[in-house]
């Protein structure tokens, strides 16, 4: 099956020639006289996203109805059907206020536009043509990054305990206290890995005592009393 024009051109928003977008194919390689052609889908998605950002920042368009009415004017499209399709896909009212500086909102609208412009593709993603990585790369090129994931809890291991005990020490001080901390960890290891809450508590307590002793020695080093 032949791919839609927008997908073949790496231009899933079907933007027309006119703006000097990043990632356009060289002039001598252009075969479509009406619609932009990009070197990769990521650059086509970037251009789509940058257009949405401009709609908001320059023209004050914040809702699906406002955005699509400019994107696909009624002189060339069934704008109302387009509005309803995008609103339905992103699960918002056509008149809800959106933020095109928000990763969540701009990604949802971008994927809905790709789906509407090109029909149904074969990917199990909202846009149905591109995987998540391609969409995220295009959005990143436009200046929109996904939110950072919060760091998970640090597991209790010899390495993390050693790092805690030695944080902020000098090399000589580490050399002095490391054997003691290491011995305590070795003694506590059976407790820490036993699976028993009581024994794990004992293991953690042993390590904590070792760390406290090491800290006290470091303080004495710093005070010049050891």
């Amino acid at each position: 099956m032949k791919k839609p024009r927008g997908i073949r051109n790496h231009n899933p928003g079907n933007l027309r020639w006119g703006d000097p977008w990043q990632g356009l194919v060289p002039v001598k390689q252009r075969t479509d006289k009406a619609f932009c052609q990009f070197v990769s889908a990521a650059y086509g998605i970037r251009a789509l996203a940058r257009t949405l950002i401009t709609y908001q920042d320059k023209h004050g368009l914040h809702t699906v109805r406002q955005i699509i009415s400019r994107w696909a004017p009624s002189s060339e499209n069934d704008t109302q059907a387009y509005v309803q399709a995008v609103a339905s896909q992103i699960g918002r009212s056509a008149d809800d206020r959106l933020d095109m500086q928000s990763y969540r909102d701009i990604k949802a609208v971008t994927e809905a536009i790709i789906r509407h412009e090109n029909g149904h593709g074969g990917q199990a993603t909202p846009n149905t043509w591109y995987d998540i990585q391609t969409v995220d790369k295009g959005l990143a090129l436009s200046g929109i990054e996904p939110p950072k994931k919060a760091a998970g809890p640090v597991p209790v291991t010899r390495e993390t305990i050693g790092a805690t005990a030695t944080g902020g020490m000098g090399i000589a001080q580490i050399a002095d206290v490391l054997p003691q901390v290491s011995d305590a960890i070795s003694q506590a290891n059976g407790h820490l890995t036993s699976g028993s809450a009581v024994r794990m508590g004992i293991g953690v307590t042993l390590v904590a005592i070792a760390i406290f002793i090491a800290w006290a020695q470091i303080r004495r080093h710093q005070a010049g009393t050891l």
Side-chain angles (χ1 to χ4, degrees):
M1 184 182 69
K2 191 175 182 179
K3 292 181 179 179
R5 189 178 194 174
I7 304 302
R8 297 197 310 271
N9 287 339
H10 296 314
N11 177 16
N14 284 319
L15 297 169
R16 294 182 180 273
W17 293 111
D19 293 305
W21 295 111
Q22 291 182 18
L24 291 173
V25 299
V27 174
K28 292 184 178 180
Q29 297 178 21
R30 298 174 185 177
T31 57
D32 193 317
K33 295 182 179 179
F35 293 94
C36 296
Q37 294 174 288
F38 293 91
V39 296
S40 71
Y43 278 104
I45 293 169
R46 175 195 178 276
L48 195 169
R50 289 305 308 171
T51 300
L52 297 179
I53 292 169
T54 298
Y55 281 2
Q56 173 174 291
D57 293 351
K58 185 176 180 179
H59 304 288
L61 309 182
H62 293 276
T63 69
V64 169
R65 192 183 309 281
Q66 292 171 340
I67 291 167
I68 299 304
S69 293
R70 186 178 180 91
W71 181 275
S74 57
S75 58
E76 301 176 9
N77 304 270
D78 184 346
T79 305
Q80 185 57 30
Y82 203 147
V83 168
Q84 292 305 318
V86 171
S88 176
Q89 181 167 326
I90 70 173
R92 304 286 292 274
S93 164
D95 297 307
D96 281 353
R97 186 180 179 86
L98 305 175
D99 181 6
M100 292 301 99
Q101 297 286 353
S102 157
Y103 171 80
R104 183 190 68 175
D105 286 353
I106 196 169
K107 182 178 182 182
V109 174
T110 295
E111 295 207 86
I113 288 175
I114 292 173
R115 170 74 177 270
H116 192 80
E117 289 284 339
N118 301 283
H120 190 278
Q123 291 276 354
T125 54
N127 71 80
T128 76
W129 288 102
Y130 305 113
D131 57 26
I132 294 172
Q133 291 74 20
T134 301
V135 174
D136 279 353
K137 183 176 181 180
L139 293 178
L141 287 170
S142 78
I144 305 296
E145 298 276 359
K148 303 295 183 182
K149 293 183 179 180
V154 178
V156 177
T157 65
R158 293 190 182 194
E159 290 76 14
T160 57
I161 292 170
T164 301
T166 59
M169 298 182 192
I171 297 299
Q173 295 166 342
I174 292 173
D176 287 343
V177 302
L178 190 57
Q180 299 173 51
V181 175
S182 180
D183 288 343
I185 293 171
S186 296
Q187 295 173 23
N189 188 52
H191 294 290
L192 290 169
T193 60
S194 67
S196 165
V198 173
R199 292 190 62 192
M200 289 178 69
I202 294 171
V204 170
T205 301
L206 289 173
V207 173
I209 291 171
I211 292 173
F212 176 78
I213 293 171
W215 174 83
Q217 288 181 329
I218 292 166
R219 296 290 291 177
R220 292 172 68 186
H221 269 295
Q222 294 172 338
T225 59
L226 186 65

